[in-house]
């Protein structure tokens, strides 16, 4: 039950120098202009990125300059989606975007080496890859819809991943570049979580999954830190703790394993691993269409040792009384 991978895009790019101007003309804050070198600096990048409101990086007023806004809102934790022009997925424009840190190498880079373009927008580098470059043979799909994947990258190691759909006969990466220009212009404001009226805030909004470590005692340490994921080693057991939004039907597909207070914890076992899930709030309707209905804020814990997993889940739930 590891996290479903959204096909969002990026090409690895080189960090750029400091105090370069954004399209709006204001210099990029010095913090975002230099690559993080130490653990403390990387931790601060995570914290400040986690505090950003993804939806506010594409305000409705700016989206309206790119098309008629049909709907916009929270799609997943740290991720938003907007539908422009018409509701139809193939006839309108759809943008899905979210903040991320540390930025990773593009998942498809090995599939399309040397393809795509990398451009500069102010202080950021922007990588774009169209469907045509990714798979020139998929002409039938392009007759219905065009897609572009992109990544806006700031020198500190944070940025925004984008997925854009546009109607057939259009150039999706040109539209993605217009979206990226807005994001670069808004980034320096560092809009706080909840600044956008379209953002759904939950118990997990802005929460650090590695905050559980002190509650696990000196035997626990983090071997990896991301916005919504913490890789934990506890008594030589490798455990993944992740915050996510998940459909109730999906989460409850496991068996009821135990309860923590009034909160049920569900478990699935497969291939020698156990996956635990527990909700820490009520559901909400996502901006994106969801086959499983409303989304719940969920703590997800995975690993091989059941006792260690249960300990991590109990301590993680205690962070959300």
């Amino acid at each position: 039950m590891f996290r479903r991978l959204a096909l969002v895009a990026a090409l690895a790019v080189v960090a750029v120098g400091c105090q370069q101007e954004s399209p709006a003309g204001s210099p990029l804050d010095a913090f975002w202009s230099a690559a993080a070198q130490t653990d403390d600096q990387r931790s601060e990048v995570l914290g400040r990125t986690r505090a950003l409101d993804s939806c506010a990086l594409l305000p409705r007023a700016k989206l309206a300059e790119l098309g008629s806004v049909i709907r916009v809102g929270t799609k997943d934790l740290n991720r938003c989606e907007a539908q422009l022009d018409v509701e139809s997925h193939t006839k309108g424009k759809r943008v899905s975007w979210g903040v991320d840190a540390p930025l990773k190498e593009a998942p498809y880079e090995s599939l399309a080496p040397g393809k795509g373009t990398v451009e500069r927008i102010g202080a950021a580098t922007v990588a774009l890859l169209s469907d045509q470059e990714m798979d020139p043979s998929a002409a039938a799909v392009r007759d219905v819809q065009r897609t572009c994947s992109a990544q806006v990258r700031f020198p500190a190691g944070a940025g925004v991943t984008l997925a854009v759909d546009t109607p057939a006969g259009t150039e999706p990466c040109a539209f993605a570049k217009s979206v990226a220009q807005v994001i670069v212009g808004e980034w320096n404001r560092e809009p706080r979580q909840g600044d956008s009226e379209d953002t759904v805030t939950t118990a997990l909004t802005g929460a650090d999954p590695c905050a559980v470590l002190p509650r696990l005692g000196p035997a626990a340490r983090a071997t990896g830190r991301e916005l919504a994921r913490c890789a934990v080693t506890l008594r030589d057991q490798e455990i993944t703790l992740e915050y996510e939004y998940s459909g109730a039907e999906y989460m409850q597909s496991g068996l009821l394993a135990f309860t923590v207070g009034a909160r049920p914890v569900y478990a699935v076992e497969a291939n020698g691993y156990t996956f635990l899930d527990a909700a820490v709030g009520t559901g909400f309707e996502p901006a994106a269409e969801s086959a499983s209905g409303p989304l719940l804020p969920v703590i997800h814990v995975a690993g091989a040792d059941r006792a260690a997993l249960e300990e991590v889940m109990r301590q993680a739930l205690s962070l959300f009384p």
Side-chain angles (χ1 to χ4, degrees), residues 223-238:
T223 55
R225 297 173 185 262
E226 301 177 28
L227 283 191
R229 181 182 298 168
C230 187
V232 179
T233 296
L234 178 64
R235 296 189 297 275
D236 297 323
Q237 295 296 319
E238 299 292 332

Side-chain angles (χ1 to χ4, degrees), residues 3-319:
R3 183 159 182 74
R4 298 133 300 254
L5 297 176
L7 293 179
V8 292
L11 296 170
V13 293
V14 179
V16 295
C18 62
Q19 286 300 307
Q20 302 175 64
E21 293 201 349
S22 71
S26 57
L28 183 66
D29 185 283
F31 174 78
W32 300 111
S33 299
Q37 302 291 341
T38 67
D39 287 344
D40 286 345
Q41 290 172 341
R42 285 185 282 270
S43 179
E44 188 176 2
V45 169
L46 281 173
R48 286 177 66 164
T49 304
R50 199 179 282 119
L52 289 169
D53 187 329
S54 289
C55 291
L57 292 173
L58 279 177
R60 276 182 176 260
K62 296 290 186 180
L63 282 169
E65 296 175 6
L66 302 174
S68 177
V69 179
I70 303 300
R71 56 180 169 80
V72 58
T74 298
K75 178 182 180 180
D76 203 343
L77 187 60
N78 301 315
R79 194 160 191 85
C80 303
E81 183 172 284
Q83 181 74 31
L84 305 180
D85 295 338
V86 294
E87 181 61 46
S88 169
H89 184 49
T90 57
K91 295 181 180 179
K93 303 187 191 83
R94 182 171 295 185
V95 186
S96 174
W97 73 97
V99 297
D100 197 12
L103 289 176
K104 307 173 190 67
E105 188 176 84
Y108 55 70
E109 189 176 33
S110 61
L111 301 176
K115 295 184 179 181
T117 61
V118 178
E119 301 188 21
R120 287 284 298 278
I121 299 179
T125 49
V126 180
L128 304 124
L129 182 70
S130 73
D131 48 3
Q132 186 167 357
E133 293 172 293
M134 183 66 181
D135 186 1
S137 66
V141 176
R142 293 194 297 277
D143 288 341
V144 177
Q145 183 183 62
R146 297 297 311 277
T147 63
C148 180
S149 298
Q151 184 185 72
V152 179
R153 191 180 192 95
F154 294 95
V160 176
T161 57
L162 297 168
V164 166
D165 299 327
T166 60
T170 62
E171 289 299 328
C173 286
F175 179 66
K177 183 177 177 181
S178 298
V179 172
Q181 288 173 328
V182 175
I183 289 171
V184 173
E186 295 293 321
W187 183 276
N188 209 40
R189 294 192 307 106
E190 288 193 53
R192 303 292 87 189
Q193 291 280 11
D195 278 4
S196 170
E197 63 182 13
D198 298 308
T199 297
V200 175
T201 58
T202 70
L204 299 181
T205 303
D208 178 3
C210 286
V212 73
L213 289 171
R215 301 191 178 210
L216 294 171
R221 61 185 178 88
T223 55
R225 297 173 185 262
E226 301 177 28
L227 283 191
R229 181 182 298 168
C230 187
V232 179
T233 296
L234 178 64
R235 296 189 297 275
D236 297 323
Q237 295 296 319
E238 299 292 332
I239 297 167
T240 299
L241 168 65
E242 186 169 7
Y243 294 164
E244 63 181 19
Y245 293 157
S246 178
E249 190 174 302
Y250 178 82
M251 184 193 72
Q252 295 170 4
S253 61
L255 298 175
L256 178 62
F258 56 93
T259 60
V260 179
R263 289 172 171 153
V265 179
Y266 298 91
V268 171
E269 295 186 358
N271 300 320
Y273 287 89
T274 298
F275 309 92
L276 301 180
D277 290 284
V280 289
T282 56
F284 67 91
E285 292 294 336
E289 297 174 358
S290 175
S292 55
L295 295 180
L296 294 168
V298 169
I299 296 175
H300 176 72
V301 181
D305 186 274
R306 182 66 175 261
L309 291 178
E310 182 171 335
E311 182 176 352
V312 171
M313 176 61 85
R314 289 183 181 277
Q315 293 303 328
L317 285 170
S318 74
L319 294 169

